[in-house]
Amino acid sequence: MAPKNKAADKDTKGFDKKGSSSGSKDEKVGKADGGKLKAANSINVRHILCEKHSKKEEALTKLRDGMKFDEVAREFSEDKARQGGSLGWKIRGALDPAFEKAAYDLEPSTTGNPKYVEVKTGFGYHIIMVEGRK
């Protein structure tokens, strides 16, 4: 899980399923309505947490090769979110600031065709996807 951690490293990199960069770290993933996501107060989020950069890279390779996000999370994630990386619905302010910013900037997607982003926090390297927003 990714609780608040003020000492978080704020570097983020956005990647789509094929590993292409989504642009600058502050750029939102595009939508048909002019490229902006509607404001949300809570998100249904999944993540893969790896302590080592090399393990995170292995997980990214599996995702790029078409493996479902929840399957990769079960195999690679080193946290207690054993249900395919699901953290459930999280409200603003409930997550690490760097993790939260990256997650709230993501467009919702499915585990079979995930849109994800990488972020490093004090907990390690995260690969994050969002399933829903409200």
Side-chain angles (χ1 to χ4, degrees):
M1 205 150 178
K4 290 183 182 181
N5 180 352
K6 303 243 184 217
D9 180 356
K10 304 224 186 233
D11 289 335
T12 60
K13 292 182 184 176
F15 290 89
D16 63 17
K17 183 176 180 208
K18 294 186 171 81
S20 303
S21 174
S22 66
S24 74
K25 68 181 179 181
D26 294 325
E27 179 182 321
K28 294 190 180 194
V29 177
K31 286 199 63 131
D33 63 351
K36 295 201 178 197
L37 292 171
K38 289 184 180 179
N41 290 320
S42 64
I43 53 173
N44 188 5
V45 65
R46 289 182 184 264
H47 80 144
I48 300 166
L49 173 64
C50 301
E51 278 187 35
K52 298 190 181 223
H53 185 268
S54 59
K55 189 166 184 181
K56 179 209 53 145
E57 290 298 320
E58 285 181 59
L60 283 171
T61 299
K62 296 280 188 183
L63 288 170
R64 289 180 190 127
D65 290 345
M67 195 169 176
K68 290 177 74 175
F69 192 94
D70 55 335
E71 293 170 2
V72 176
R74 281 188 199 97
E75 184 178 339
F76 288 91
S77 193
E78 299 170 3
D79 74 339
K80 295 178 181 169
R82 295 284 177 225
Q83 299 166 340
S86 179
L87 297 175
W89 287 94
K90 298 294 180 187
I91 61 170
R92 284 194 189 269
L95 299 166
D96 176 275
F99 184 105
E100 186 172 287
K101 177 171 181 2
Y104 273 91
D105 284 349
L106 270 175
E107 180 179 336
S109 60
T110 63
T111 59
N113 188 21
K115 293 180 181 171
Y116 50 85
V117 67
E118 301 172 56
V119 64
K120 183 175 186 326
T121 70
F123 298 95
Y125 298 92
H126 302 265
I127 304 168
I128 307 166
M129 72 160 287
V130 172
E131 291 186 288
R133 300 168 60 87
K134 59 183 178 180

